[in-house]
Amino acid sequence: MSIVFVGAWGSWLSAIVHIMHSLHINDLICIDASETETMKSFHNLWITTYIWHGIYKVTPEDIVIYSAATPHSIEVQTAFSYIHTHRKACVPMLYFEFLWEISKYLFTIAISWTHGKSTTTWMTATTCIE
């Protein structure tokens, strides 16, 4: 079983990949259409990466997390097809659905609404780490 991230270069999805990696979850697979600096950084962390869709074959055991930009990718469509053919219990999830699920088990601080979210998030994260 792997956790497969489709459209992994996006800021939200890449952050979730980093969270999973920091929790020592090792069987991560990142897929995207182009080789970006984010995808290179995953490769440098020994996270399996695939540049372009259709190379990695999703299995019924995989957990598929995808960005809003990739709902029609072959990996996501295959994962959805497994729901009926293999009675898959874990349905593919958009990144915010997965974030909702993991936030149930982690201490979570949400920052939203107006200007300065990035700065406030950085200050909060820096304070929490130190």
Side-chain angles (χ1 to χ4, degrees):
M1 177 194 72
S2 298
I3 301 177
V4 180
F5 296 93
V6 183
W9 70 270
S11 60
W12 284 101
L13 204 53
S14 64
I16 295 172
V17 173
H18 283 288
I19 290 169
M20 296 290 103
H21 185 263
S22 69
L23 293 172
H24 305 287
I25 298 172
N26 296 321
D27 205 359
L28 304 174
I29 295 171
C30 296
I31 301 169
D32 212 306
S34 60
E35 187 170 7
T36 62
E37 290 301 317
T38 303
M39 292 298 281
K40 289 178 186 175
S41 73
F42 294 153
H43 186 72
N44 292 338
L45 292 172
W46 297 97
I47 296 173
T48 304
T49 58
Y50 292 94
I51 307 303
W52 205 248
H53 298 282
I55 298 171
Y56 176 76
K57 304 300 180 203
V58 174
T59 68
E61 293 80 29
D62 288 339
I63 298 170
V64 176
I65 314 303
Y66 62 99
S67 77
T70 61
H72 302 294
S73 71
I74 188 69
E75 295 87 4
V76 175
Q77 293 303 307
T78 300
F80 274 112
S81 73
Y82 287 147
I83 295 170
H84 302 293
T85 59
H86 291 82
R87 297 184 183 172
K88 184 176 172 72
C90 185
V91 298
M93 290 182 264
L94 279 162
Y95 68 88
F96 62 84
E97 294 171 317
F98 186 70
L99 190 58
W100 169 263
E101 290 301 320
I102 64 172
S103 69
K104 294 176 184 177
Y105 305 99
L106 302 170
F107 180 74
T108 305
I109 298 173
I111 298 167
S112 64
W113 190 253
T114 188
H115 304 291
K117 293 182 293 294
S118 298
T119 303
T120 305
T121 301
W122 175 79
M123 292 186 318
T124 303
T126 303
T127 304
C128 290
I129 291 170
E130 295 178 6

